[in-house]
Amino acid sequence: MTSGYGKEGPARTVTVSRLAGMKAAGQPVAALTAYDYGFAAACDRAGVDVVLVGDSLGMVVQGHETTLPVTVDDIIYHTRCVARACERALVVADMPFMSHTDVETGLANAGRLMKEGAAQMVKLEGGAEQAALVERLAAHGIPVCAHLGLKPQQVHKLGGYRVQGRDQAEAALMESDARALEDAGADLLILECVPSPLAEHLAGTLEIPVIGIGAGPGCDGQILVLHDVLGVTPQPPRFARDFSREAGGVQAALEAYVTAVRSGAFPTSEHGFAG
Ligand code: KIV
């Protein structure tokens, strides 16, 4: 090594400050999930900015009906595989169900994802009640991606995978949650299944980049589950798009996805939800 930097050092890699710079410059962030070395390397080569090792792996890799059975050890294993592949993309590891029930537990598990998994950021579902944990993580130098809107770990409480924030009270709560998480030190926010006008409003008022999934074109970037982009999911959600069928091949599909996010050609209104 001649530069004195590891993988995370050189300017060409995607960092937290680079993501903030992309928002400031109006450059959309293209993010995807990945769970193994081969596909993570393909994402990285395609120019994907952020690779998330999501707990969606419980459904698309392990075949469970929900994300709830996923363990911290599962995420560590898959994050290690992905981190070995990513030379440019920022690697984010999801905190699974019940891994952050209190600040000390959350801090310990996030530390494991960073140390043992080689993650560069952790993601956690939840609103203002997670602010104390986000603050502690930030104090320890652990970057955080918050996750609002549809929180799949709460599927049994919600009664299904539904659009969130449709009525005024829900929208107001989401906005105050987002603000509390940003104030606590979150670096990124994912909005899942949120009406497009609300997502656009949040992206416009928050300083941190807001990445949408089923949240319309007004976000600072987009994320999709890899299996939906590659046409592997038999019944993909309405907000997804099968780039593989259009592009003809995995690498071409991933490149087409990055190009479409960057140019604003994805998502369109057919991939979002009206307010
Ligand atoms: O687990 C996951 O893959 C996610 C994305 C869908 C945002 O949370």
Side-chain angles (χ1 to χ4, degrees):
M1 187 162 45
T2 53
S3 66
Y5 291 107
K7 265 187 189 173
E8 60 279 6
R12 68 193 177 86
T13 60
V14 178
T15 58
V16 169
S17 56
R18 178 153 175 173
L19 292 174
M22 288 173 78
K23 173 165 180 142
Q27 288 168 2
V29 175
L32 278 175
T33 69
Y35 317 97
D36 69 13
Y37 179 86
F39 282 108
C43 289
D44 200 62
R45 282 197 301 275
V48 171
D49 301 303
V50 174
V51 173
L52 168 68
V53 183
D55 63 357
S56 51
L57 72 84
M59 298 168 81
V60 301
V61 176
Q62 298 173 333
H64 295 296
E65 293 218 335
T66 70
T67 60
L68 273 56
V70 175
T71 66
V72 172
D73 286 334
D74 290 336
I75 298 282
I76 288 173
Y77 170 80
H78 288 280
T79 306
R80 284 167 68 170
C81 300
V82 164
R84 276 183 215 120
C86 290
E87 299 197 340
R88 178 183 171 278
L90 186 85
V91 177
V92 183
D94 222 349
M95 299 202 61
F97 181 57
M98 301 303 276
S99 68
H100 51 105
T101 45
D102 56 65
V103 171
E104 294 311 320
T105 309
L107 186 61
N109 282 322
R112 288 194 64 205
L113 298 181
M114 305 288 287
K115 280 170 82 101
E116 298 173 44
Q120 295 164 312
M121 178 181 278
V122 299
K123 175 172 90 59
L124 49 91
E125 294 181 16
E129 78 285 354
Q130 298 298 329
L133 172 58
V134 172
E135 208 169 315
R136 253 331 248 304
L137 293 170
H140 284 271
I142 299 181
V144 177
C145 174
H147 182 152
L148 291 172
L150 173 61
K151 291 168 272 192
Q153 291 171 12
Q154 297 185 11
V155 60
H156 296 307
K157 187 89 176 164
L158 297 170
Y161 297 104
R162 301 215 173 88
V163 178
Q164 303 293 310
R166 274 201 155 132
D167 68 52
Q168 246 181 351
E170 271 184 11
L173 179 61
M174 204 181 299
E175 181 159 4
S176 67
D177 279 343
R179 228 167 268 291
L181 292 161
E182 177 173 84
D183 289 347
D187 301 280
L188 210 58
L189 171 65
I190 285 180
L191 289 181
E192 180 165 355
C193 286
V194 170
S196 305
L198 174 59
E200 185 169 0
H201 168 70
L202 292 177
T205 50
L206 292 171
E207 287 189 12
I208 56 174
V210 174
I211 312 297
I213 172 164
C219 297
D220 303 307
Q222 300 294 324
I223 184 163
L224 285 176
V225 169
L226 183 68
H227 291 55
D228 297 341
V229 168
L230 297 182
V232 176
T233 311
Q235 285 174 322
R238 166 205 159 122
F239 54 73
R241 180 168 143 189
D242 180 351
F243 283 86
S244 165
R245 201 184 44 205
E246 299 163 28
V250 169
Q251 194 63 42
L254 298 176
E255 284 164 17
Y257 167 72
V258 170
T259 303
V261 169
R262 292 207 174 124
S263 71
F266 175 82
T268 64
S269 56
E270 72 185 279
H271 303 110
F273 303 96

